């Protein structure tokens, strides 16, 4: 059993070392290539739209939109209604 594990380890190491140049190319691209510097697309929001934070969380309803600030409200797991204001850039429309 130990000899088999040793052979497997050697084989896996060999496969990984042979593929290393392909992995290196994938991570070697300059940061400016293929990456938009304009940031994430900001959704067009209107009162009544359903949104969620890009980082996750509860589904929320848009109440008002003022410039780049969005007032939202939602109900948590206990039935309590909450509200907060978020920058439009941190929200994803559903």
């Amino acid at each position: 059993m130990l000899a088999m594990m040793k052979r497997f380890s050697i084989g896996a190491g060999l496969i990984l070392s042979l593929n290393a140049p392909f992995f290196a190319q994938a991570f070697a691209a300059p940061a400016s290539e293929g990456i938009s510097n304009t940031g994430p697309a900001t959704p067009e929001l209107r009162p009544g739209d359903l949104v969620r934070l890009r980082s996750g969380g509860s589904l929320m309803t848009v109440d008002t939109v003022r410039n780049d600030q969005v007032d939202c409200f939602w109900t948590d797991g206990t039935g309590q209604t909450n509200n907060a204001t978020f920058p439009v850039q941190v929200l994803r429309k559903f």
Side-chain angles (χ1 to χ4, degrees), residues 17-33:
S17 66
L18 292 175
N19 288 325
F22 299 111
F23 292 126
Q25 288 176 0
F27 294 108
S32 61
E33 279 187 29

Side-chain angles (χ1 to χ4, degrees), residues 66-90:
R66 287 175 275 139
N67 300 321
D68 66 340
Q69 298 293 308
V70 182
D71 296 328
C72 300
F73 62 93
W74 68 97
T75 305
D76 62 20
T78 65
Q80 177 70 35
T81 302
N82 301 291
N83 61 3
T85 302
F86 301 97
V88 70
Q89 295 86 358
V90 303

Side-chain angles (χ1 to χ4, degrees), residues 41-86:
T42 55
E44 291 288 327
L45 298 175
R46 298 184 313 214
D49 286 344
L50 294 176
V51 296
R52 181 173 284 152
L53 291 173
R54 290 186 181 273
S55 60
S58 299
L59 201 57
M60 302 180 286
T61 303
V62 173
D63 186 26
T64 55
V65 179
R66 287 175 275 139
N67 300 321
D68 66 340
Q69 298 293 308
V70 182
D71 296 328
C72 300
F73 62 93
W74 68 97
T75 305
D76 62 20
T78 65
Q80 177 70 35
T81 302
N82 301 291
N83 61 3
T85 302
F86 301 97

Side-chain angles (χ1 to χ4, degrees), residues 6-19:
K6 186 174 182 181
R7 286 183 186 162
F8 175 77
S9 297
I10 292 171
L14 182 62
I15 290 171
L16 290 174
S17 66
L18 292 175
N19 288 325

